């Protein structure tokens, strides 16, 4: 039994000349493909974004929120510029269309109301997710407790103690 479990002695890795680059060559083994370490590959563009230090990060298309923000803000900018240009060309435009009755106070109040509603909705969604995750965590803890208690009650030692007590 002892002879079957004995392992042959291992030899230390052979030294490699300075010009050798392969991992197998450094360890004195056969040449072959080098082992890949865990994690995303740099050649797979779907898993990782390579950032180049020479470019400005804000104007990149991939990995930046600026293009999406520009897409959503551009209509408001165009409308604002159009109103300003029309007001310069036709001075009575705001009064004729009823835009002069819109005050800054009204704009601030309406914007504050919309932002408050959006923040409340987002917070309620986050709180709902938190409580769902907490309840699932407690449920998982209970399942682990049940499985460990079953393992303990059906183990060999538990069976042996049960026979001695009878």
């Amino acid at each position: 039994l002892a002879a079957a479990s004995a392992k042959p002695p291992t030899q230390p890795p052979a030294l490699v000349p300075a010009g050798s680059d392969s991992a197998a060559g450094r360890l004195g083994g056969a040449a072959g493909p080098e082992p890949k370490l865990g994690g995303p590959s740099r050649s797979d563009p779907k898993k990782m974004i390579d950032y180049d230090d020479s470019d400005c990060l804000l104007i990149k298309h991939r990995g930046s929120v600026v293009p999406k923000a520009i897409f959503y803000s551009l209509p408001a900018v165009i409308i604002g510029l159009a109103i300003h240009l029309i007001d310069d060309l036709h001075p009575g435009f705001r009064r004729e269309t009823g835009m002069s009755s819109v005050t800054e106070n009204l704009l601030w109040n309406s914007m504050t109301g919309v932002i408050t509603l959006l923040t409340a909705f987002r917070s309620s969604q986050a709180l709902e997710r938190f409580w769902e995750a907490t309840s699932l965590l407690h449920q998982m803890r209970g399942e682990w407790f049940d499985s460990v208690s079953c393992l303990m009650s059906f183990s060999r030692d538990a069976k042996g103690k049960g026979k001695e007590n009878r």
Side-chain angles (χ1 to χ4, degrees), residues 59-70:
I59 58 173
K60 280 191 169 191
H61 181 67
R62 290 183 58 226
S64 178
V65 297
V66 174
K68 195 174 226 181
I70 289 172

Side-chain angles (χ1 to χ4, degrees), residues 3 7 23 27 32 42-43 49 55 69-71 74 78 81 85 97 101 109 111 119 130-132 138 143 155 158:
K7 294 181 181 177
L27 298 176
R42 288 198 176 263
S43 63
I49 299 173
D55 296 336
I70 289 172
F71 176 74
L74 200 58
I78 291 171
L81 286 174
L85 288 174
T97 57
S101 63
N109 287 340
M111 187 174 66
T119 304
F130 169 76
W131 283 115
E132 182 181 0
H138 284 291
E143 296 290 333
S155 68

Side-chain angles (χ1 to χ4, degrees), residues 11-67:
Q11 295 181 356
L15 295 177
V16 177
S20 177
D21 286 336
S22 73
R26 284 192 300 268
L27 298 176
E34 291 195 20
K36 290 186 178 181
L37 299 176
S41 170
R42 288 198 176 263
S43 63
D44 190 4
K46 294 178 185 174
K47 293 184 179 181
M48 187 170 156
I49 299 173
D50 280 329
Y51 293 106
D52 190 11
D53 294 337
S54 64
D55 296 336
C56 181
L57 182 64
L58 291 178
I59 58 173
K60 280 191 169 191
H61 181 67
R62 290 183 58 226
S64 178
V65 297
V66 174

Side-chain angles (χ1 to χ4, degrees), residues 3-164:
S5 64
K7 294 181 181 177
T10 59
Q11 295 181 356
L15 295 177
V16 177
S20 177
D21 286 336
S22 73
R26 284 192 300 268
L27 298 176
E34 291 195 20
K36 290 186 178 181
L37 299 176
S41 170
R42 288 198 176 263
S43 63
D44 190 4
K46 294 178 185 174
K47 293 184 179 181
M48 187 170 156
I49 299 173
D50 280 329
Y51 293 106
D52 190 11
D53 294 337
S54 64
D55 296 336
C56 181
L57 182 64
L58 291 178
I59 58 173
K60 280 191 169 191
H61 181 67
R62 290 183 58 226
S64 178
V65 297
V66 174
K68 195 174 226 181
I70 289 172
F71 176 74
Y72 287 114
S73 65
L74 200 58
V77 169
I78 291 171
I79 290 171
L81 286 174
I83 290 173
H84 185 69
L85 288 174
I86 291 172
D87 193 37
D88 284 345
L89 296 175
H90 185 37
F93 174 72
R94 286 190 188 189
R95 195 174 355 95
E96 291 171 3
T97 57
M99 280 194 248
S100 61
S101 63
V102 177
T103 61
E104 290 179 18
N105 194 19
L106 178 67
L107 291 175
W108 279 109
N109 287 340
S110 60
M111 187 174 66
T112 303
V114 169
I115 289 174
T116 302
L117 287 174
L118 290 174
T119 304
F121 176 73
R122 187 176 171 110
S123 297
S124 69
Q125 290 289 322
L127 189 63
E128 185 178 323
R129 281 190 229 133
F130 169 76
W131 283 115
E132 182 181 0
T134 302
S135 64
L136 289 173
L137 187 65
H138 284 291
Q139 181 182 357
M140 184 177 67
R141 183 177 170 211
E143 296 290 333
W144 276 103
F145 182 80
D146 288 345
S147 62
V148 169
S149 65
C150 286
L151 285 173
M152 294 301 289
S153 65
F154 296 124
S155 68
R156 197 176 306 179
D157 290 337
K159 287 182 181 180
K161 288 180 183 177
K163 290 180 182 177
E164 291 172 1

